[in-house]
Amino acid sequence: MRSFVSIDLPDDLAGAVADAQERFAGAGGLRFVDPDDAHLTLFFLGDVDSGRRDDIEAALERAVADAGVEPFELRVGGFGVFPSLDYVSVVWAGVREGGGVAETARLAGATERELDALGVAGDDHPFTPHVTLARMDDARGKELVRRVVRETDPDLGAFRVEEIRLKQSTLTGDGPEYETLRTVAL
């Protein structure tokens, strides 16, 4: 079971995500994510045995309790890339300072600690709260991506975060399909 833990953007921000992606429309080599599936990944589990699902769900319950985060407003805005403007593999919209950065970091940290205790290893890079807009398959559009990231600072909007979700991702020829396996309220 390929899975991850997320904060999903509400349906009413899909248009703002699509508008943000439009700024990169002329960049060859980009593969855009479906705006209706926009989310902020707190922890990517990768492929885990479906028999561990109960343990993972219990770990998420503990993580939310340990993080001590009440429902909060998350503001999405600004552009960035991973790993760098010299080598772009992912184009993203960030979380504005004061707009949920501290809360998402606490949730991500608590989730990582609980899942690590189960032996589920996370990424080896620091957590950066972001919403993936596109993946760059080749560098044809790199210069346009660099210019847009440097010269624009969009505000995609804000929403109230009241839960995190354990999601399953099934890769298909038309892109990933997501299914929510468990919702944990804050």
Side-chain angles (χ1 to χ4, degrees):
M1 159 178 94
R2 185 174 189 267
S3 55
F4 60 95
V5 180
S6 70
I7 295 172
D8 291 355
L9 271 64
D11 293 340
D12 62 350
L13 285 186
V17 170
D19 290 346
Q21 291 171 325
E22 184 62 31
R23 295 175 189 232
F24 300 95
L30 281 183
R31 184 171 26 96
F32 294 100
V33 301
D34 183 341
D36 292 325
D37 290 332
H39 63 272
L40 185 153
T41 301
L42 293 172
F43 190 92
F44 182 73
L45 287 83
D47 288 316
V48 293
D49 186 317
S50 59
R52 300 190 71 196
R53 183 172 162 186
D54 288 344
D55 291 338
I56 291 167
E57 289 178 4
L60 293 182
E61 293 279 352
R62 289 190 303 273
V64 167
D66 292 347
V69 173
E70 298 293 324
F72 63 97
E73 181 175 277
L74 189 142
R75 178 159 294 282
V76 181
F79 289 136
V81 298
F82 291 134
S84 72
L85 285 171
D86 291 327
Y87 179 80
V88 178
S89 64
V90 173
V91 178
W92 49 264
V95 174
R96 297 273 190 207
E97 278 301 321
V101 172
E103 293 87 347
T104 57
R106 287 200 338 251
L107 285 167
T111 300
E112 180 176 13
R113 285 188 299 278
E114 288 295 336
L115 291 174
D116 185 58
L118 291 180
V120 179
D123 295 327
D124 60 353
H125 53 77
F127 176 72
T128 302
H130 70 281
V131 176
T132 299
L133 300 174
R135 290 178 174 77
M136 184 161 260
D137 293 328
D138 62 63
R140 286 177 287 148
K142 179 177 153 183
E143 289 309 314
L144 174 59
V145 169
R146 290 169 73 172
R147 187 175 77 248
V148 171
V149 168
R150 286 182 176 138
E151 297 175 2
T152 59
D153 188 24
D155 185 15
L156 279 67
F159 65 100
R160 186 166 172 82
V161 176
E162 298 181 346
E163 64 192 22
I164 66 171
R165 295 179 178 179
L166 174 63
K167 301 192 77 144
Q168 181 173 341
S169 173
T170 304
L171 300 178
T172 73
D174 295 326
E177 293 180 0
Y178 302 125
E179 175 187 356
T180 299
L181 302 176
R182 177 72 183 267
T183 298
V184 180
L186 300 183

